[in-house]
Amino acid sequence: MAQREQENALRTLRKPTPTVDFSSNDYLGFGADRSIFDAAHNYLLEHGFTQNGSTGSRLISGNHGLYVVVEEMVAKFHNTESALIFNSGYDANVGFFSSVSQKGDVVLYDEYIHASIRDGLRLSNAATYKFPHNDLEALEALVKRHEGKEVYIVTESVFSMDGDSPNLQLMSELCNKYGCRLVIDEAHAIGVFGQKGEGLVQSLELENSVFARIATFGKGPGCHGAAVLGSQQLKDYLVNFARSLIYTTALPPHSLSTILAAYSRLENAPEREMLAANILFFRAELQRLGLTDIFIESHSAIHCAVVPGNERVRSIAAALAGKGFGVKAILSPTVPAGSERLRFCLHSYNTEREITGVLGTLKQLLQP
């Protein structure tokens, strides 16, 4: 703790401040959407769900009837054989990666993969190796080194700390060529990509080439929980061996009804087009203001300006907050030292004036 404080990297819990939101993951504004709230509440009343909690784990007493309804809906929406709901994206990743790969298997993962996947892999008996970020040439060399073994390749469709994406088409072809199993975390793509917000994998028509996808509900859908998407056999396996599913109290009915309401809204949501327009406008403003050099290239809702040094990036974030803009400073060790950054999350409800304002203010603050 003393070292963290000395490095200006000590984490604290702070109450939200009333600033223009460029920091939350609520890309479509569903998290505060009253119509989704009302739809979820009305569904519970109309179908006789009046309990506050689930009363136990899914394997004891918590597997209430809404689980079947929502899992079937999610599986159909994502064009997959089955969906298994976990309490969070963290739980889904820890449960999946700690249990699926076996001793003697090999897991190759992008060096920028999310912490929850890393934690799951630490609990796995498989051998794990990282490859340079989005580097398919290096990945293929690693695959060749482990030919003859069961190999899993793990990536994200949109990286949470960069906002960029791998070439999923080429990665899928590589997996087909060498017989590897591809696993993709879609947390920051659900609601943002696809004709109905189904994510990047489906928008590229790759769902049948992927062994498993992790769909998180706490970003684009604006609610809570996550699902592992894959075969029925995979679902049955996880029910038996994913400890983060087996040994935790299940989600209550109101969480499931909110997922149902959010997905029902997602397919025809005008907010998706509004978000897409804001992403294009943000990129155009970066060009106009001459800020592209410090930003990592991204076509997603996440855009990051690399500002090295915990103290400097924190001070700029504080100055932006003082001007009324809520932008999150991402510090080391969350990202490697020297790559600290300001993380701009775009939303359907941000205005062009707000986008121009925050980027113009940033440019002023960066001047020596």
Side-chain angles (χ1 to χ4, degrees):
M1 292 290 285
Q3 183 178 348
R4 282 280 174 91
E5 194 166 6
Q6 185 178 4
E7 295 171 352
N8 203 18
L10 189 66
R11 298 183 176 106
T12 58
L13 296 174
R14 299 177 182 179
K15 292 182 179 180
T17 54
T19 54
V20 177
D21 181 10
F22 285 106
S23 61
S24 81
N25 293 324
D26 189 21
Y27 304 128
L28 302 176
F30 281 15
D33 190 287
R34 181 58 188 262
S35 67
I36 292 174
F37 178 90
D38 289 340
H41 179 68
N42 291 335
Y43 183 93
L44 293 175
L45 295 179
E46 291 167 5
H47 291 81
F49 289 98
T50 57
Q51 64 196 81
N52 296 314
S54 63
T55 76
S57 74
R58 293 190 66 179
L59 288 170
I60 297 179
S61 60
N63 196 45
H64 49 80
L66 256 178
Y67 269 108
V68 175
V69 174
V70 178
E71 285 179 340
E72 288 181 352
M73 177 272 299
V74 169
K76 182 178 180 181
F77 186 95
H78 289 292
N79 194 28
T80 188
E81 188 177 354
S82 76
L84 181 64
I85 291 177
F86 286 74
N87 287 14
S88 69
Y90 188 95
D91 284 340
N93 278 331
V94 168
F96 178 92
F97 289 101
S98 65
S99 66
V100 171
S101 54
Q102 304 295 306
K103 187 175 182 180
D105 294 348
V106 172
V107 179
L108 308 178
Y109 64 93
D110 191 290
E111 64 178 337
Y112 289 175
I113 210 75
H114 194 267
S116 59
I117 297 176
R118 288 177 177 267
D119 287 354
L121 291 174
R122 287 191 184 100
L123 297 171
S124 168
N125 290 318
T128 62
Y129 305 91
K130 65 183 177 182
F131 59 90
H133 182 52
N134 290 341
D135 189 334
L136 293 183
E137 187 175 333
L139 172 60
E140 185 169 14
L142 272 176
V143 171
K144 288 179 179 179
R145 191 184 306 172
H146 298 286
E147 279 193 273
K149 296 183 179 181
E150 188 75 77
V151 177
Y152 295 82
I153 294 176
V154 184
T155 190
E156 298 179 37
S157 58
V158 175
F159 281 85
S160 60
M161 289 297 116
D162 290 66
D164 62 344
S165 299
N167 189 323
L168 294 180
Q169 182 69 54
L170 291 181
M171 190 172 285
S172 173
E173 292 172 6
L174 187 153
C175 288
N176 290 334
K177 179 180 178 180
Y178 293 99
C180 303
R181 291 180 171 180
L182 182 57
V183 182
I184 301 176
D185 187 325
E186 287 254 78
H188 294 275
I190 304 299
V192 179
F193 291 96
Q195 291 185 348
K196 57 181 183 179
E198 65 270 33
L200 194 54
V201 171
Q202 273 173 271
S203 72
L204 296 172
E205 299 182 347
L206 295 175
E207 60 266 34
N208 294 325
S209 302
V210 175
F211 176 69
R213 285 173 280 163
I214 292 83
T216 301
F217 308 139
K219 280 76 176 178
C223 42
H224 194 70
V228 175
L229 312 175
S231 68
Q232 183 62 45
Q233 185 181 42
L234 174 60
K235 179 175 180 177
D236 294 340
Y237 180 87
L238 292 171
V239 168
N240 280 274
F241 295 102
R243 294 169 69 86
S244 60
L245 177 95
I246 297 167
Y247 298 108
T248 192
T249 300
L251 289 172
H254 64 77
S255 291
L256 275 296
S257 65
T258 305
I259 297 168
L260 188 65
Y263 264 77
S264 298
R265 172 73 179 278
L266 189 59
E267 187 166 355
N268 298 307
E271 289 87 351
R272 290 190 294 105
E273 293 183 4
M274 295 160 65
L275 173 61
N278 278 342
I279 292 170
L280 289 175
F281 183 77
F282 188 94
R283 288 169 53 83
E285 286 295 271
L286 291 183
Q287 288 276 3
R288 185 181 68 82
L289 293 168
L291 292 171
T292 54
D293 288 349
I294 66 166
F295 273 82
I296 299 168
E297 185 174 0
S298 168
H299 297 271
S300 73
I302 301 169
H303 294 261
C304 293
V306 177
V307 182
N310 280 345
E311 187 171 349
R312 185 167 185 238
V313 75
R314 255 186 168 167
S315 67
I316 292 177
L320 286 169
K323 297 290 186 178
F325 300 109
V327 179
K328 182 65 176 176
I330 307 297
L331 314 175
S332 59
T334 301
V335 293
S339 67
E340 295 82 3
R341 63 200 57 188
L342 294 164
R343 183 172 180 258
F344 294 76
C345 291
L346 303 180
H347 312 90
S348 60
Y349 48 84
N350 290 135
T351 66
E352 291 187 354
R353 181 178 180 181
E354 290 169 349
I355 292 170
T356 298
V358 72
L359 291 178
T361 304
L362 173 65
K363 183 174 182 177
Q364 292 176 357
L365 292 170
L366 290 172
Q367 291 175 352

